[in-house]
Each structure stands twice: as structure tokens, then as C-alpha cells.
Amino acid sequence: MNEKIHHGRNIKRFREMMGIKQESLAFELGPDWSQKKISLLEQKEEVEEELLRQVAEILKVPAEAIKSFDEEKAINIISNSFENCNQPASIFYNSSINPVDQIIKIHNEKIALYERMLKEKDEMMERLEKLLSK
């Protein structure tokens, strides 16, 4: 159960989550780096501490996150957190927003908009009648 965390795979995951390409990461690491070297780095199970710190700084994540991120545990947490999401009422679970109040608010806004439109129509009709009567 005490499996080793794959640093390279975690670097790749964080890099992809941040939308950073291998070429960009290589550029940020310096002239000695290339896309191919980043690809090889992402295959390494364990990455040296200093290099890990540099990559973490570029990706704007804590180095500890790369060292300890376990995808399986994360998936378990997410699936356990949203276990009841297939029930319709769960949309508003832990929500301070009352959906009925929101519907009433939207309805009242529509009524106000409709009344403004009618008023503008009446004003426009008055202007047209004045123009026609001249």
C-alpha cells in the first residue's frame, strides 16, 4: 500500500493542468533544456530535489505537491465527495441560495423589463402621433 509517488508523472500532470507546453517549461528551465529533455524528465520516477524545486517554481505549485500528489487518492476523495450528485436535490446541497427565491427574482425582473418596454412603446406612439398631426 506504500507505493512510491512518480515525480515525473506528477510534473506532467501539473504542467498539463496549467496549460504549459513541454517547450515552454524547457525554455523557462534554461538553455540546457529541450522538449526532449522535459519528456525524459516526465518519465523519471524520482527527480532531484533542486530540479524539482525549480520546476515547481515555474509551474507555480509547491514542490511538496509534486512530491506527494497521488492521483488515486485524489480520485477517491472526489468520488466520495460527490457520491450523491446523481440525486436531483443534490444540486442545491449545502447551498445558501433558495432556488424558489431566485425564480421569483428573475420573474420580477422580466415583469419590470416588460413594463419599461410598454412605456417606451407608448412614448414612441405619442411622438409618432405628434409628428403625423403636424
Side-chain angles (χ1 to χ4, degrees):
M1 201 71 178
N2 199 6
E3 288 185 32
K4 197 159 182 111
I5 304 291
H6 196 286
H7 293 170
R9 195 175 303 128
N10 286 346
I11 289 172
K12 180 179 181 178
R13 290 205 185 353
F14 282 106
R15 178 184 60 75
E16 288 173 342
M17 282 190 275
M18 301 301 189
I20 297 173
K21 295 189 177 282
Q22 287 179 332
E23 295 87 358
S24 300
L25 182 57
F27 177 80
E28 292 294 325
L29 283 171
D32 295 339
W33 285 88
S34 66
Q35 179 271 325
K36 181 132 178 97
K37 276 182 85 173
I38 296 297
S39 182
L40 293 171
L41 172 70
E42 291 176 349
Q43 294 172 25
K44 289 176 74 175
E45 188 169 334
E46 197 165 329
V47 176
E48 305 80 46
E49 188 69 32
E50 180 57 27
L51 180 55
L52 190 73
R53 188 193 60 71
Q54 289 175 343
V55 170
E57 193 173 304
I58 293 167
L59 297 177
K60 295 179 177 38
V61 297
E64 193 57 41
I66 294 172
K67 287 196 283 188
S68 62
F69 180 74
D70 185 341
E71 186 175 18
E72 232 176 270
K73 287 180 184 174
I75 290 171
N76 283 336
I77 290 169
I78 292 168
S79 66
N80 288 335
S81 298
F82 297 102
E83 172 175 283
N84 296 323
C85 275
N86 57 356
Q87 298 171 2
S90 68
I91 295 169
F92 301 105
Y93 184 72
N94 283 338
S95 176
S96 61
I97 299 171
N98 183 346
V100 175
D101 289 342
Q102 292 299 312
I103 292 171
I104 291 171
K105 179 182 173 190
I106 291 169
H107 179 70
N108 288 337
E109 288 172 358
K110 282 184 176 180
I111 290 173
L113 175 63
Y114 183 68
E115 288 173 348
R116 281 196 312 269
M117 288 171 64
L118 283 175
K119 184 178 177 187
E120 286 179 22
K121 181 194 75 98
D122 290 343
E123 290 171 357
M124 189 180 295
M125 292 300 290
E126 278 182 37
R127 278 186 256 143
L128 285 172
E129 287 174 0
K130 284 181 185 176
L131 282 172
L132 288 173
S133 65
K134 284 186 179 180

